Structures are given as C-alpha cells and as structure tokens.
C-alpha cells in the first residue's frame, strides 16, 4: 500500500482528499496482524495528525478486541495534537475501555469528585468535556457515591501491588497526626522590628488525611545508617539528582559542632534529604503537613502555645548568649561568624527541649534547625525540579528551584520560630542551619 505523506505545496482541498483516499485504502486491506501492525505504527509515528487520528478510528472499528489495538488507542489519548487525543478519548468512551481509566483520570481527575454537587474544577475546553463524558460512559454511572465504589473496585489490585513494593518504614519513633482540618496561616499583624513578612501565608482551613511523622528531626546516627547501607548506590535518588557531587555526604561531617550522633544532620541539600526519605519508606513533609504537626488544630503561634517563652527553644539569643532586638542587631551579630569562630554549641540533640514539644509531642518544631519540606515556595505544589546537568548558577533565579523551610533555626529570632513562618532555600544549598524529618503513610 502506498503510504500517505503530507505534501506542503498541495491545496487544502487536495490535502483532505489525500487523507480520505488513504483511509479508504485501509478498508481494502485484510483484517490481519500485518494490517494491525501497520495501523499501530501509523497511529504513533505518522507526521500528519489526520492520518494518526484515522488510524486510531480504524483500529477501534476493526481491531477493538485486540490488546495491542487497545493499547495504541489509550496511548493516543496523550497525543500532542488535540484532535488525535480527543478522537482516542471518545473511542475509549464508546468502547467502554476500562484499561483507559488511569490515563483519563490523569487528564480530568476522579469522576467521583467532579460529579459531586458544587465541586469546583478548572476545565480547559473540549478535552475536559470529552474526558468527563468518556469516564462516565466507562464506569456507567453519574452518581458520585457509586462512582467512588467503582473506582475503588477497579484500582484495588493496583493499590495492593503498590503496597507490596512500597519500601517498609525504617523508623519507629513516629507520631500519628490525625485526619481532619486545621487552622493554617499567619494572623494579620504589623511588620515587626525584624522586618519578617508573613503576608504570603494567609489564614485558611486545610483538611489533611492522617499521616505519620518523625518525632524528631533526622539525626547524624540515622543518616549514617542510610549511608552505610546504600554505599555508592543511586537506587533511592531523585531522578533530577545532580551529577558529580559527593554522594549524599554531609558537608559538616568533620565539624565536632555538628557531627555528634544525636545532633540533627545538617550540611545536606534537598536532593540528599529526598533520597534519605525515599530509603526510609517515606517522603519529606508538605508544608501543610509540617504546619499541622507543629501547631495542631487550635491555630497556636508556637508549638507550645501563643506566648513566646525563650526557655522552650534554641534560637539566636541562646546560641550567642546575647540579646537581639531588631534586624540591624541580628545582621551585625551574624556577620561576625567565621569558619572557626561561632558558638561552641550551635545545635542541640534532636530529642532535647521536651518543654518545647508541640500538641502531638514533636520536638524542636521551633528552632534548633530549619526543616525542609517537599513544597515549592512559590507554587505551593510539590517540588518538581528539572535541573540535572546544570550548575546552580544557571537556575538559582528560577522559582522552580526553591523549597519551603519551616520552624526557624539557631540563628533565627523568635518571629521565624512561629508555626506559620515560611522560609525558603535553593534546593542545592548545604547549610549548617537546615535539617529535616520525614512523613509516612498512616497505618
């Protein structure tokens, strides 16, 4: 069969005549494996989208019961040209192709959600409408409760398989944070003497499912267990892990002020923390998870309550044994730090200061070290970096490269130790002021 190829110098009418002629020729071919293979190839690789769309239609018409044809139709739901993907989406609905559910849900979301009364969505146009109709057709219901039951039934085996391959949690000193809403965000207030801005975290109610979280930040002892086990393996690394850096080693591992086994591990970057959390069977907390764990449900200002009590936290005045009243004094103090000359005991053991525990019993949620989250500072979504092979100087002005820090550190004034203050850092930086803890699925 002579295969169609687009002709740039033909008229519009000639182009569409050629498309129709090619499609008609397919009807003369035997319905056999060779034709099936040809149509699958055309649906995936032909440069002209009308041919790809026609191939998808003919696959559904003549080979709709064949697994390879169904796979090709599902793959076409993600074609970069709209009317190819729309064609494939409609065909999935007409054929009631349950195998397409996962792909269609990625496009439009869970039917049991968008069929709820008053559910707010952001449909873009034709694609969202076609996908919604296809999902309802495949599942055979418009009732949100019935749709949820059908979704759970369909994905039960997939979820069970995911549970069997999910790494087991490698830590027992965890606390369960119960499901439900909590009051997040900063109260409206005047900018204080340290000129710290809380306006990026307005008051709001956030509803979270239950989760587990480390009672303390990750210590050097725990982090060394990770290093000892993985060796030179990259099995737990983030896909965007930078090339060529010393693999996961803390920058301050030879500094006695920071390398004690019970001290928080510091001098690692966001990628290192991500790899550890992956190895430990968890992940870095979202900033909402962190905030709920720190303050509970009553909107408290500090983990222990609403009043500042300096004996409950390790902060700048404790670390330097001097009073700091405003930003100018803080900066003047911090610039005196040199590599060899700063507090002899800047950080405390991770399980110290029980008097500063939060409502769920977590320690050092205010002060000692900042804590990393998986949340992007600007978008408030999970971090999704794509900087592999590039130097930090090439992306340090990109919003995608900054994650949210929470809790304040040993160089922070009290205003940074509130349960709602948002800090940020570049994901490749390694500071002696920053550590982390992990979250895990609720049992």
């Amino acid at each position: 069969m002579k295969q169609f190829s687009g002709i740039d110098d033909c008229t519009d009418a000639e182009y569409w005549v050629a498309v129709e002629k090619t499609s008609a020729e397919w009807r003369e071919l035997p319905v056999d494996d060779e034709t099936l293979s040809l149509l699958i190839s055309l649906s995936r690789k032909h440069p002209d989208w009308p041919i790809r769309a026609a191939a998808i239609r003919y696959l559904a018409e003549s080979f709709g019961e064949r697994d390879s044809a169904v796979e090709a139709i599902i793959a076409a739901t993600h074609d970069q040209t709209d009317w190819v993907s729309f064609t494939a989406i409609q065909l999935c609905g007409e054929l009631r192709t349950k195998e397409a559910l996962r792909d269609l849900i990625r496009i439009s979301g869970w039917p049991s959600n968008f069929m709820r009364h008053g559910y707010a969505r952001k449909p873009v146009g034709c694609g969202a409408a076609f996908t919604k109709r296809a999902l309802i057709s495949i599942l055979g219901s418009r009732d949100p409760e019935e749709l949820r039951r059908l979704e759970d039934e369909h994905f039960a085996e997939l979820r069970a398989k995911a549970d069997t391959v999910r790494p087991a949690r490698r830590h027992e000193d965890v606390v369960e944070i119960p499901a439900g809403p909590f009051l997040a965000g900063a109260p409206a207030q005047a900018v204080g003497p340290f000129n710290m801005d809380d306006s990026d975290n307005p008051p709001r109610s956030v509803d979270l499912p239950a989760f587990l979280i480390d009672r303390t930040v990750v210590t050097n002892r725990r982090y060394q267990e990770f290093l000892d086990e993985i060796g030179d393996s990259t099995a737990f690394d983030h896909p965007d892990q930078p090339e060529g850096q010393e693999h996961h080693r803390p920058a301050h591992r030879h500094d006695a002020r920071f390398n004690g086994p019970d001290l928080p591990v510091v001098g690692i970057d966001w990628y290192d923390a991500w790899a550890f959390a992956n190895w430990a069977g968890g992940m870095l907390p979202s900033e909402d998870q962190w905030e709920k764990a720190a303050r509970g449900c009553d909107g408290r200002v500090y983990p222990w309550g609403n009043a500042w009590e300096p004996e409950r936290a390790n902060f700048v005045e404790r670390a330097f044994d001097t009073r700091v009243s405003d930003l100018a004094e803080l900066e003047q103090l911090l610039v005196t730090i040199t590599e060899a000359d700063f507090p002899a005991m800047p950080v405390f053991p991770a399980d110290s200061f029980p008097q500063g525990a939060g409502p769920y019993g977590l320690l050092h949620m205010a002060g000692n070290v900042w804590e990393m989250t998986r949340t992007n500072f600007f978008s408030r979504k999970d971090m999704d970096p794509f900087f592999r092979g590039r130097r930090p100087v090439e992306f340090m002005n990109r919003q995608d490269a900054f994650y949210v820090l929470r809790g304040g550190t040993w160089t922070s004034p009290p205003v940074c130790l509130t349960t709602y203050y948002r800090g940020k850092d570049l994901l490749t930086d390694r500071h002696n002021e920053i550590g982390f803890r992990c979250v895990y699925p609720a049992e």
Side-chain angles (χ1 to χ4, degrees):
M1 182 187 76
K2 181 180 178 182
Q3 293 191 25
F4 171 88
S5 59
I7 304 172
D8 291 336
D9 59 356
C10 70
T11 66
D12 292 347
E14 290 170 340
Y15 179 91
W16 291 107
V17 167
V19 169
E20 290 299 323
K21 181 180 178 181
T22 300
S23 300
E25 289 178 357
W26 296 340
R27 269 68 182 173
E28 301 174 4
L29 296 174
V31 181
D32 58 14
D33 289 347
E34 185 177 351
T35 300
L36 172 62
S37 178
L38 171 65
L39 292 171
I40 290 174
S41 177
L42 291 172
S43 74
R44 292 174 175 171
K45 299 178 181 179
H46 200 281
D48 289 85
W49 73 260
I51 293 297
R52 299 200 301 276
I56 289 296
R57 283 192 291 269
Y58 192 39
L59 280 170
E61 177 185 326
S62 297
F63 299 93
E65 301 299 320
R66 301 284 290 271
D67 289 345
S68 57
V70 170
E71 290 173 5
I73 295 169
I74 293 172
T77 64
H78 303 292
D79 192 282
Q80 292 181 323
T81 300
D82 47 13
W83 285 106
V84 181
S85 62
F86 296 169
T87 298
I89 290 167
Q90 291 181 81
L91 290 170
C92 287
E94 292 172 9
L95 297 172
R96 301 192 69 179
T97 307
K98 287 193 174 182
E99 296 88 345
L101 282 173
R102 183 160 58 165
D103 294 78
L104 298 182
I105 284 170
R106 287 173 177 170
I107 297 170
S108 190
W110 295 92
S112 58
N113 284 333
F114 61 63
M115 290 307 296
R116 292 201 325 255
H117 177 70
Y119 182 77
R121 300 170 71 220
K122 291 190 176 183
V124 175
C126 298
F130 286 136
T131 306
K132 180 176 179 178
R133 185 169 67 177
L135 284 167
I136 292 170
S137 172
I138 293 169
L139 290 169
S141 176
R142 302 180 69 88
D143 177 73
E145 298 303 320
E146 175 64 6
L147 286 169
R148 172 55 67 188
R149 186 190 69 77
L150 293 168
E151 290 162 3
D152 290 343
E153 180 181 280
H154 179 78
F155 289 104
E157 183 177 348
L158 182 64
R159 288 183 175 129
K161 179 182 284 189
D163 288 340
T164 63
V165 300
R166 180 181 293 122
R169 174 165 49 88
R170 297 174 184 255
H171 195 47
E172 297 303 318
D173 190 8
V174 296
V175 174
E176 180 167 356
I177 308 301
F182 79 104
L183 181 61
Q189 55 190 342
V191 175
F194 291 95
N195 292 357
M196 301 296 180
D197 181 13
D198 286 324
S199 62
D200 60 349
N201 195 20
R204 64 203 184 280
S205 177
V206 177
D207 196 353
L208 295 176
F211 61 94
L212 303 177
I213 186 169
D214 290 334
R215 187 177 64 91
T216 71
V217 293
V218 174
T219 62
N220 286 308
R221 188 191 311 278
R222 280 188 72 196
Y223 198 79
Q224 188 60 48
E225 292 174 3
F226 161 64
L227 294 179
D228 290 344
E229 179 168 322
I230 67 168
D232 294 326
S233 170
T234 60
F236 299 99
D237 285 1
H238 190 283
D240 194 54
Q241 171 84 21
E243 300 172 344
Q245 71 177 43
E246 190 170 1
H247 189 61
H248 302 307
R249 302 292 174 182
H252 302 291
R253 61 189 179 277
H254 296 301
D255 190 331
R257 293 164 295 197
F258 299 102
N259 67 4
D262 297 318
L263 296 179
V265 63
V266 296
I268 59 174
D269 68 13
W270 186 88
Y271 291 105
D272 296 329
W274 193 96
F276 175 95
N278 190 25
W279 168 84
M283 60 176 54
L284 293 172
S286 70
E287 68 167 321
D288 285 337
Q289 287 177 320
W290 190 98
E291 187 169 331
K292 182 175 182 179
R295 76 190 309 187
C297 299
D298 56 8
R300 60 184 63 187
V301 176
Y302 302 99
W304 55 82
N306 291 320
W308 169 243
E309 300 180 47
E311 70 278 6
R312 295 180 183 268
N314 180 31
F315 68 116
V316 65
E317 293 185 6
R318 180 183 296 276
F320 288 88
D321 193 25
T322 186
R323 182 169 176 75
V324 180
S325 60
D326 58 29
L327 181 60
E329 290 184 5
L330 175 65
E331 292 175 342
Q332 184 176 356
L333 177 64
L334 296 182
V335 297
T336 65
I337 296 176
T338 66
E339 180 180 333
D341 184 19
F342 59 92
M345 191 174 182
V347 295
F348 285 76
D351 63 352
S352 58
F353 287 71
Q355 67 273 29
Y360 300 111
L362 278 67
L363 300 181
H364 285 297
M365 297 295 274
N368 212 33
V369 291
W370 286 108
E371 298 187 23
M372 302 183 196
T373 72
R374 67 175 189 267
T375 301
N376 179 272
F377 183 84
F378 297 97
S379 71
R380 295 179 180 270
K381 298 179 180 179
D382 282 1
M383 292 286 290
D384 187 21
F386 55 97
F387 304 117
R388 188 175 178 85
R390 300 166 65 185
R391 297 174 300 154
V393 70
E394 298 178 75
F395 56 78
M396 61 187 302
N397 63 341
R398 296 290 301 271
Q399 292 186 351
D400 315 72
F402 288 88
Y403 65 90
V404 173
L405 287 170
R406 287 301 196 109
T409 188
W410 59 275
T411 61
S412 296
V415 66
C416 295
L417 273 63
T418 61
T419 55
Y420 46 77
Y421 186 80
R422 304 176 77 230
K424 73 177 189 294
D425 196 38
L426 186 68
L427 79 175
T428 52
D429 282 355
R430 298 175 167 216
H431 297 289
N432 59 35
E433 301 159 293
I434 300 175
F436 71 100
R437 72 182 78 210
C438 306
V439 296
Y440 315 88
E443 296 175 342

